[in-house]
Amino acid sequence: MVKRDVTVTEVALRDGSHAIGHSYTIDQVQKVAKALDEANVPYIEVSHGDGLGGSSLQYGRSKTNEMELISAAVSVCKQARVGVLLLPGIGTVEELKEAENLGARLARIATHVTEADVSKQHIQLAKELGMETVGFLMMAHMVPTEKLVEQAKLMECYGADTVYIVDSAGALLPHEVKERVKALKNQLKVNIGFHAHNNLSLAMANTLVAIEEGATWVDGSVRCLGAGAGNTQTEVLVSVLDRMNRSTGIDLYKMMDLAEEIVAPILEKPQEITKGSLILGYAGVYSSFLLHAERAAHKFNVDSRDILVELGKRRVVGGQEDMIVDVASELAKKSI
Ligand SMILES: CC[C@H](O)CC(=O)C(=O)O
Ligand SMILES: [Mn+2]
């Protein structure tokens, strides 16, 4: 049995889907999942970027059906467990059952940070199906800590094994992560998890703060292949935790090799903090909105930063992607 002080979930095959326009192929997923499995990564998330059922005009169509991608990942994993993300209202119970039937063993049920109550049915179903279950509270920067605790308690009482604080916009500052994790740790009995985005270059620092405060589940994306500026870079996280004598059970060299040889060629260009991703963190906007905003900026001939800042002011949340085009068109009209 491998000793793990910190349990890492690799999200490049789900969160990274936003960064490449949901274009994963079976071959890519198989190669990445096999290498992650050989590197001893315990959990690998595979789904459309917006979770099961996300393939649509609104969120972007998947090049390959996600159920085929899930099967492909399951078929090459010997020790790793394949997980799926599900946002109630986008994914359905039928899709969760199908994914479980194909071999998915981890269900991560995600809601906006004020809407944990909509996760009850899905968390309970995942538990009935015998899946390990995570409650995933997105856009955690948008509410004060007391509200986050209240919502996390709901997920705990529905049966989640772990509750995640999700910094979807990469907007949280280290002291805000500290306060949130500490409060959850004090008031919940279940495991606490943390999911970061690197838009303000704080993903690693915030993840370490979360771990110091007692989070035992954290997410990473190899080569930073996630939405916006990506997530905490998994191979870097593994090496930092190793230096801190916190075991992840993951083979560092294998992780580095797969980042370089298998994942880097999937990226059109290396992940970096661009003006677009920086603005996501600065304005507090969903990381998955980046490519949509850049496309709208191009179409309406406006600056994508103006679109994102306006979306931040309007406190737009996941599922309101249609607002991106509305805002772009309003800005274009104003500039005439
Ligand atoms: C739209 C779902 C989203 O990408 C989930 C996630 O990873 C996050 O909120 O950061
Ligand atoms: Mn994310």
Side-chain angles (χ1 to χ4, degrees):
M1 189 73 174
V2 187
K3 177 180 171 300
R4 302 186 200 268
D5 301 319
V6 177
T7 301
V8 176
T9 299
E10 170 57 52
V11 299
L13 294 178
R14 196 280 306 164
D15 211 313
S17 176
H18 292 297
I20 59 165
H22 314 289
S23 65
Y24 276 124
T25 63
I26 289 183
D27 184 55
Q28 287 171 336
V29 167
Q30 257 173 352
K31 284 193 176 124
V32 175
K34 184 169 187 295
L36 288 168
D37 181 68
E38 286 168 1
N40 219 11
V41 171
Y43 294 96
I44 304 171
E45 188 172 60
V46 184
S47 312
H48 180 280
D50 293 85
L52 296 178
S55 179
S56 59
L57 209 54
Q58 168 99 332
Y59 303 117
R61 291 206 189 283
S62 301
K63 181 169 175 177
T64 307
N65 180 304
E66 65 191 337
M67 295 299 170
E68 289 176 35
L69 299 180
I70 292 164
S71 280
V74 169
S75 73
V76 293
C77 286
K78 294 203 172 81
Q79 61 74 35
R81 295 180 151 215
V82 172
V84 292
L85 185 78
L86 184 146
L87 279 67
I90 298 181
T92 63
V93 291
E94 292 313 319
E95 283 158 329
L96 185 59
K97 286 182 192 163
E98 189 179 349
E100 191 277 332
N101 198 32
L102 294 172
R105 294 290 170 258
L106 171 72
R108 306 212 305 170
I109 311 301
T111 74
H112 183 62
V113 66
T114 54
E115 286 165 21
D117 58 339
V118 302
S119 67
K120 184 175 181 188
Q121 183 193 15
H122 301 81
I123 289 179
Q124 289 179 345
L125 173 68
K127 293 302 292 176
E128 276 163 33
L129 292 170
M131 301 173 88
E132 282 179 74
T133 307
V134 165
F136 206 67
L137 286 168
M138 302 185 293
M139 298 292 269
H141 73 283
M142 287 182 83
V143 295
T145 300
E146 308 79 67
K147 184 74 183 172
L148 180 71
V149 171
E150 170 203 293
Q151 298 292 302
K153 280 186 174 172
L154 287 178
M155 287 177 156
E156 178 179 59
C157 88
Y158 301 151
D161 304 301
T162 303
V163 177
Y164 261 71
I165 299 167
V166 181
D167 185 14
S168 312
L172 284 173
L173 302 175
H175 72 278
E176 296 170 322
V177 174
K178 185 176 173 141
E179 183 185 296
R180 283 163 173 74
V181 178
K182 196 174 185 172
L184 257 60
K185 194 69 197 162
N186 282 337
Q187 300 196 49
L188 271 75
K189 292 189 189 66
V190 293
N191 306 317
I192 308 303
F194 184 68
H195 172 101
H197 278 273
N198 201 36
N199 304 328
L200 294 178
S201 195
L202 289 172
M204 178 63 69
N206 284 346
T207 301
L208 295 179
V209 167
I211 292 169
E212 284 306 308
E213 289 304 320
T216 49
W217 282 58
V218 297
D219 289 0
S221 59
V222 54
R223 203 75 175 191
C224 237
L225 177 46
N231 311 90
T232 313
Q233 191 165 343
T234 314
E235 63 279 23
V236 183
L237 179 65
V238 170
S239 58
V240 172
L241 289 176
D242 192 44
R243 291 273 312 269
M244 293 168 67
N245 287 324
R246 303 281 183 107
S247 163
T248 60
I250 297 172
D251 184 313
L252 177 58
Y253 273 24
K254 286 188 180 164
M255 217 45 224
M256 290 165 133
D257 288 345
L258 92 95
E260 201 100 350
E261 290 156 22
I262 303 177
V263 177
I266 294 174
L267 285 158
E268 273 172 31
K269 50 184 171 45
Q271 273 292 57
E272 57 184 344
I273 301 175
T274 59
K275 58 186 183 183
S277 49
L278 171 52
I279 283 289
L280 293 170
Y282 178 74
V285 177
Y286 242 99
S287 295
S288 59
F289 281 17
L290 182 61
L291 292 195
H292 298 283
E294 283 173 349
R295 279 189 213 119
H298 183 70
K299 182 166 172 199
F300 291 93
N301 196 23
V302 292
D303 191 323
S304 61
R305 288 171 295 187
D306 293 336
I307 303 176
L308 292 167
V309 166
E310 184 56 29
L311 292 169
K313 280 191 199 145
R314 295 188 192 187
R315 295 175 68 79
V316 167
V317 301
Q320 292 186 296
E321 276 79 350
D322 48 341
M323 290 286 291
I324 301 172
V325 173
D326 287 358
V327 166
S329 120
E330 283 172 30
L331 290 172
K333 277 185 202 138
K334 270 192 209 154
S335 69
I336 295 172

